[in-house]
Amino acid sequence: MALRDKNRRAMPTSRVLLSALALALPAVLIGSGPAAAAAWPTPAGQKAVPTTIKVSGVVDGKMVRHYGSGDLGSGGQDEGQGPLFELADGATLKNVILGSPAADGIHCKGTCTLQNVWWEDVGEDAATFKGTSASQTMTIDGGGARKASDKVFQHNGPGTMVIKNFQVNDFGKLYRSCGNCSKQYQRHVVIQNVTVTAPGKSLAGINSNYGDTARLSAVTIVGDSSRNIVPCERYKGVTSGEPTKLGSGPDPTHCLYSASSITYK
């Protein structure tokens, strides 16, 4: 059967149905690729944080900018600075902007979720995943970070960190499994639907000798025509001294991604 009118040639019914289906389905379901990075938010106000804010349950920051004051640290690369927020096991922090100085950002003591959290100027680290359970998961969903001279996310405890629907620019490392913690664990990271804007050094640094893995998918790298940003680096982690870099690039055991996992723009 075909559809006709005075001005058009016959169109097969199958083509009509496909056209209608394309109009009806959301773009994400018909292969539009990774979602575009969201605009950086405008703070709804600001609040000085002189001592670490302890978070349990679900806390909505209502897009207020929080920045360190008093003894929390300068926001530079000095070790041992306090965090602006400390999340208990099971806690969720959402809709928060961390301004400057950000001290040591956010500490997660176990399973936790950071939803729509933004770092305007990363301090020592944006967030650190601690805890002791191999089953714990830290999820970063939405938000973004910029101006990280070293690491954005630091993974010190065991478990899995998930970084999704996120954006990062002007950074050193997006994720690092601790290279020289006094107690080491097997760690895993999933990096999914993340937009990365140069300059930057690497997306994931893992310790292959402890069985770490990094899974990358739907990553978009912007402004890196020379491809200087390394998607995944493998290290030999240690409990003292400095880790040794072993290599980089995809492999079937530790750096789990392919060329199609990354789009360059």
Side-chain angles (χ1 to χ4, degrees):
M1 178 180 178
L3 302 180
R4 297 179 181 272
D5 63 24
K6 294 180 181 179
N7 301 313
R8 296 182 181 179
R9 295 177 61 188
M11 179 180 290
T13 302
S14 59
R15 289 182 58 191
V16 174
L17 293 174
L18 286 172
S19 298
L21 183 62
L23 289 173
L25 287 175
V28 70
L29 296 181
I30 57 177
S32 61
W40 277 78
T42 300
Q46 59 182 13
K47 178 180 179 180
V49 181
T51 57
T52 299
I53 299 171
K54 303 294 181 70
V55 177
S56 59
V58 178
V59 171
D60 187 339
K62 302 184 183 302
M63 301 312 295
V64 171
R65 175 194 285 135
H66 291 69
Y67 63 93
S69 64
D71 297 329
L72 276 183
S74 65
Q77 288 303 302
D78 300 331
E79 295 289 338
Q81 297 181 61
L84 297 188
F85 296 91
E86 181 181 275
L87 274 62
D89 185 26
T92 295
L93 178 65
K94 63 181 182 178
N95 303 324
V96 169
I97 300 171
L98 277 70
S100 180
D104 200 27
I106 296 171
H107 287 184
C108 180
K109 305 291 281 186
T111 291
C112 71
T113 299
L114 304 180
Q115 182 179 354
N116 194 38
V117 175
W118 300 81
W119 291 262
E120 295 178 325
D121 189 343
V122 173
E124 183 182 350
D125 298 312
T128 302
F129 189 16
K130 298 188 172 185
T132 58
S133 172
S135 64
Q136 65 187 15
T137 300
M138 179 178 185
T139 303
I140 299 100
D141 187 359
R146 59 190 179 192
K147 300 180 182 178
S149 60
D150 190 13
K151 302 176 295 296
V152 179
F153 297 116
Q154 172 79 17
H155 195 165
N156 289 352
T160 301
M161 184 182 293
V162 178
I163 306 166
K164 62 182 182 178
N165 310 318
F166 193 77
Q167 58 182 290
V168 61
N169 63 78
D170 191 7
F171 66 103
K173 303 175 181 69
L174 174 59
Y175 167 91
R176 182 66 172 101
S177 173
C178 184
N180 57 2
C181 283
S182 59
K183 186 171 184 179
Q184 291 285 25
Y185 303 94
Q186 184 181 81
R187 307 181 181 101
H188 308 282
V189 63
V190 176
I191 299 174
Q192 179 181 24
N193 196 30
V194 170
T195 299
V196 180
T197 303
K201 293 180 180 178
S202 68
L203 300 186
I206 60 174
N207 304 316
S208 56
N209 59 312
Y210 295 126
D212 292 359
T213 62
R215 296 178 183 271
L216 281 64
S217 63
V219 173
T220 301
I221 299 180
V222 180
D224 185 28
S225 59
S226 298
R227 303 197 176 186
N228 291 321
I229 298 174
V230 181
C232 186
E233 296 178 317
R234 294 179 296 277
Y235 291 85
K236 181 180 179 180
V238 295
T239 54
S240 64
E242 292 299 321
T244 303
K245 185 175 178 180
L246 301 175
S248 62
D251 70 78
T253 307
H254 303 288
C255 290
L256 304 172
Y257 70 99
S258 64
S260 62
S261 305
I262 301 174
T263 300
Y264 288 88
K265 291 186 177 181

